[in-house]
Amino acid sequence: MEYIVSARKYRPMTFDSVVGQAALTTTLKNAVKSGKLAHAYLFCGPRGVGKTTCARIFAKAINCMHPTEDGEACNECESCQAFNEQRSYNIFELDAASNNSVENIKSLMDQTRIPPQVGRYKVFIIDEVHMLSTAAFNAFLKTLEEPPAHVIFILATTEKHKILPTILSRCQIYDFERMTVANTVNHLKMVAEKEGIQYEEEALAVIAEKADGGMRDALSIFDQTASFAQGNITYQKVIEDLNVLDAENYFNIINLALENKVPDIMVLLNNVINKGFDGGLLINGLASHVRNVLMAKDPQTLPLLEVSEQQRQRYQQQAQNCPTPFLYKALKLMNQCDVEYRQSSNKRLLVELTLIQVAQITQPDDDGVSAGRSPKRLKSLFRKLFQTVKPEPAAQVAGAKRVSGKTDENTPLPNHSSQAKSPNEPKVVKSAQPKITLGSLSMSFSNILNNGKGTRTETQELEIKNKEEKKPFTEDDLLFQWHAMCKRMQSIDKLKGLATRMRNIIPSITTYPHVEIVAENDILQREIEDIKKRIRITLANELHNADITISIRLAKQEEIKPLLRPNELFDKIKKENPAIAKLSEVLLLDLA
């Protein structure tokens, strides 16, 4: 006996046997019952969802001499039997993928002039109609607009956007839906029972997910796995035959990540890669898994899970153990990894770093709440090392005594030569330079250049020298004093980095004498805010204007400009100033 694949053997022959298109088939049956038929229909949707099948069933029902009350074909009249035996002269099928020329369409149009011998209509089914050439579409256009009364066109396509708008406007359009996992699994169960094949529901769910919404693909995969499993389709045999990554790996990764077990996750990743799976595939699958866990946390979103009932229960169970912020951050990290995966030269390292970050989301930070962005285990290790080797305390500068973090300037200088030292007392090394803190910034930072001489203490506040001064100043004056202040700040170890970043900022006068400072990021903004009062006093003293006010805001995206290297800056200057470009060319000038 000849073997017929399941996709052909179990092809629906009636509207009621079509899977997953209930609203559409009901509309077509009602049209047959009422006799209100359009002259052109367009069936569009993804592959393998029943477009051509419904077109054939519809064409059969249209020509049926005794349709049922539900609008189905009777399968007993001469027209139905001729269709079932594939000898009907009233139904024509044309594959537009291979017959897309003007001559093919003209030949089809010639056949429309001949009325049907049996039945009421001649039905022309044109599959993959988007493959017709523009000239063929134009030749087809007039006949499609005003066909003979006995002609009905049914067009089918997977790419509706490629069809001319003039064609679309002349058709009734029916959009076919993708097959859901539940509908596909139910249909596969029916096929398996008729074929006498044993199965596990989880295995059929994997086949349905692999089919990606196409029933024909699902039936083809079902035949393949049935041959591999020898009539007993199990979950393990399906994932082995289809080379699908076991979902158990995703459940294990999330459970290990919640426990911060990075080494176990690395071992699991290595096993997955050794089996031949790509790291990017693991990240994409894990992202889908985390998305399903997130959907399982709320009963309202639970129907969005297209999985088997057993899998749905597992997702609900894991969702109870996963904090919602953890799922959000994990999805963000994996989405970032997916974006960077193709451009990465070391893809495995990128995947490993992503999994490490996911595993550290719930780990408490050494210094605060975890953000899942830093290697906290390494941070803890370094902290222990620092605690093991403690530096010896340095002597206070000028005999200043620390009381509650403040300096007492009234404490007299100690006489180190007259103090008795025990033989076991550790040697105290004096600091070569006086310790200067943020609080020791004097007016306009002017005393920094003098190695800290005459610095004010943290208990003393800076003041404007002359509060009556209101000397006018320009943006050039402001920029000059800004750079001078940044240069003086670089003498302080704690402010070197901030001073370097502040040199790239160009302060501006918005409403005189108000000065606006634009920071490129929120970190720089916070650092400048910490010394905002000192900056204002410094500028007020140097510009001799006590009315100066300062505001700091975060830069907008369009205001952020890339920093130029010296050679790029020189090229820009030459481009903006032709005279300098010519001078550099004549004198052969170049950057040192």
Side-chain angles (χ1 to χ4, degrees), residues 293-310:
V293 175
L294 186 62
M295 295 299 106
K297 289 186 73 69
D298 194 329
Q300 293 183 350
T301 56
L302 190 60
L304 298 179
L305 298 183
E306 294 188 349
V307 294
S308 63
E309 185 61 32
Q310 186 176 358

Side-chain angles (χ1 to χ4, degrees), residues 495-566:
L495 299 179
K496 279 185 178 178
L498 177 59
T500 302
R501 294 192 295 274
M502 286 175 58
R503 283 181 62 88
N504 298 323
I505 297 176
I506 299 178
S508 61
I509 302 173
T510 54
T511 304
Y512 185 87
H514 180 73
V515 176
E516 184 180 62
I517 301 172
V518 181
E520 291 186 357
N521 52 67
D522 53 353
I523 297 177
L524 180 58
Q525 183 185 12
R526 289 195 300 268
E527 290 181 348
I528 299 177
E529 286 283 359
D530 291 340
I531 59 172
K532 175 182 176 181
K533 181 178 179 181
R534 301 177 182 277
I535 293 175
R536 176 186 173 275
I537 294 174
T538 300
L539 294 178
N541 288 332
E542 297 299 327
L543 294 173
H544 303 285
N545 192 317
D547 291 341
I548 288 179
T549 57
I550 292 177
S551 64
I552 305 168
R553 69 172 177 87
L554 192 63
K556 299 178 182 178
Q557 187 64 33
E558 58 270 13
E559 294 177 334
I560 299 177
K561 298 180 180 179
L563 296 177
L564 300 178
R565 292 192 293 269

